[in-house]
Amino acid sequence: MELINKEQVSKKLSGRLMVNKVMKFIFLLCTLVGLVVLATLLIDTILDGWRYLTVDFFTNFSSSRPDNAGIRGAIIGTLWLMATTAPIAIILSVGTALYLEEYAPKNKLVDFVKINISNLAGVPSVVFGLLGLTLFVRMAGLGNSVLAAALTMSLMILPVIVVASQEAIRSVPGSIREASIGMGATKWQTITRIILPASIPGIITGIILALSRAIGETAPLVIIGIPTILLFTPTGVLDTFSALPMQIFSWVKLPNPEFQSITAAAILVLLFILFLMNSVAIYIRNKYSKRF
């Protein structure tokens, strides 16, 4: 029996450990680059905009004078947009995911549809803006209303929610489905009482993350003609409105240095909303996730 050469083993092991240390350092460096850039941008934005976060900033409409400029119209318009986008996107996307995973036959056509839905999640938002301009603004005659923007945003985030919902539904073990049907439950009873409750954490997480993307998008709103400055708030889904990303887009182009600081304050408000929505998603996922 050949004896183990300890010196050779030690030499090979030391080489592997060195490679491991080098890769660990490279991965740490990659992480630090992203964190440092993010921290720099965040600190710079906070230093520029915190002093403008006053009560008047939230209660005033946009103005050509920096001292009187506010985000009241943009905030209310954003709330209208999200309140209209959410139910449209949720109903269509979750229904699509349930059909594809639970009812659709397993064939090449269904696989083709699934692949294309996944590909749509990576399509630039400006393309959805052009689609919304053609379908909803011009053909449907909705103009630059809340409903037209909500339908456009729903199309944009629908693939994201569909894919997330499919993954959440797929994660429910098949044995759970079979046990439910074996006890006499119908397909619909199995979906509503077994599959949906088990997959809701993943579905809601996907919904909130998709809405977080929609709330910060500017390109589709620019394409469908949402005004950058509006001195009134919408009272219905067919009214014209403005949104926080459009307000930021309008202010950042102005040459007055004070408007750059006001833009930073509006960005902080948008970042806070995004942080709040993502925190809710993490909380729901951790609280209601089930282990099978």
Side-chain angles (χ1 to χ4, degrees), residues 5-22:
N5 191 330
K6 293 184 178 180
E7 184 178 349
Q8 189 176 5
V9 171
S10 177
K11 185 184 296 185
K12 289 184 178 180
L13 185 60
S14 61
R16 293 175 183 176
L17 292 175
M18 179 59 67
V19 172
N20 181 67
K21 289 180 181 179
V22 171

Side-chain angles (χ1 to χ4, degrees), residues 2-264:
E2 187 178 350
L3 297 176
I4 298 175
N5 191 330
K6 293 184 178 180
E7 184 178 349
Q8 189 176 5
V9 171
S10 177
K11 185 184 296 185
K12 289 184 178 180
L13 185 60
S14 61
R16 293 175 183 176
L17 292 175
M18 179 59 67
V19 172
N20 181 67
K21 289 180 181 179
V22 171
M23 297 308 297
K24 179 181 177 181
F25 175 76
I26 292 175
F27 295 150
L28 177 62
L29 186 63
C30 293
T31 305
L32 289 177
V33 168
L35 290 177
V36 169
V37 172
L38 178 62
T40 302
L41 291 174
L42 188 59
I43 291 171
D44 182 64
T45 305
I46 292 173
L47 292 177
D48 283 348
W50 71 270
R51 63 183 181 275
Y52 287 92
L53 294 174
T54 62
V55 175
D56 291 339
F57 181 71
F58 290 94
T59 57
N60 289 350
F61 287 98
S62 182
S63 172
S64 58
R65 299 176 58 186
D67 294 338
N68 297 330
I71 58 172
R72 178 183 174 184
I75 283 286
I76 295 177
T78 300
L79 294 177
W80 268 97
L81 178 61
M82 289 298 102
T84 311
T85 301
I88 297 173
I90 291 171
I91 293 171
L92 292 178
S93 56
V94 175
T96 301
L98 283 172
Y99 175 78
L100 291 175
E101 291 299 321
E102 298 298 327
Y103 290 104
K106 307 300 180 183
N107 54 41
K108 292 183 179 180
L109 177 60
V110 174
D111 292 338
F112 178 76
V113 171
K114 290 181 180 180
I115 291 172
N116 279 276
I117 289 175
S118 299
N119 291 337
L120 283 174
V123 172
S125 58
V126 67
V127 176
F128 290 102
L130 291 171
L131 181 62
L133 177 65
T134 304
L135 290 180
F136 308 127
V137 176
R138 294 178 178 172
M139 293 182 63
L142 296 175
N144 52 0
S145 62
V146 175
L147 184 58
L151 290 170
T152 303
M153 289 297 188
S154 298
L155 288 180
M156 184 186 70
I157 65 175
L158 189 142
V160 179
I161 303 177
V162 169
V163 172
S165 300
Q166 283 182 287
E167 292 296 329
I169 294 169
R170 206 176 293 141
S171 66
V172 180
S175 57
I176 303 295
R177 295 176 172 85
E178 294 170 2
S180 175
I181 294 174
M183 295 181 67
T186 63
K187 186 73 171 179
W188 177 242
Q189 288 175 325
T190 301
I191 290 174
T192 55
R193 300 181 185 181
I194 303 296
I195 297 174
L196 276 181
S199 57
I200 272 181
I203 293 174
I204 293 181
T205 299
I207 289 170
I208 294 178
L209 294 179
L211 290 176
S212 298
R213 178 192 175 189
I215 200 174
E217 282 288 352
T218 308
L221 301 181
V222 172
I223 295 297
I224 64 177
I226 301 303
T228 55
I229 297 176
L230 207 62
L231 302 182
F232 61 88
T233 58
T235 57
V237 294
L238 297 179
D239 291 344
T240 302
F241 77 107
S242 186
L244 201 52
M246 294 299 298
Q247 190 70 79
I248 294 171
F249 177 72
S250 172
W251 282 339
V252 78
K253 298 185 297 181
L254 299 178
N256 191 331
E258 287 191 58
F259 273 110
Q260 308 305 313
S261 298
I262 294 175
T263 302

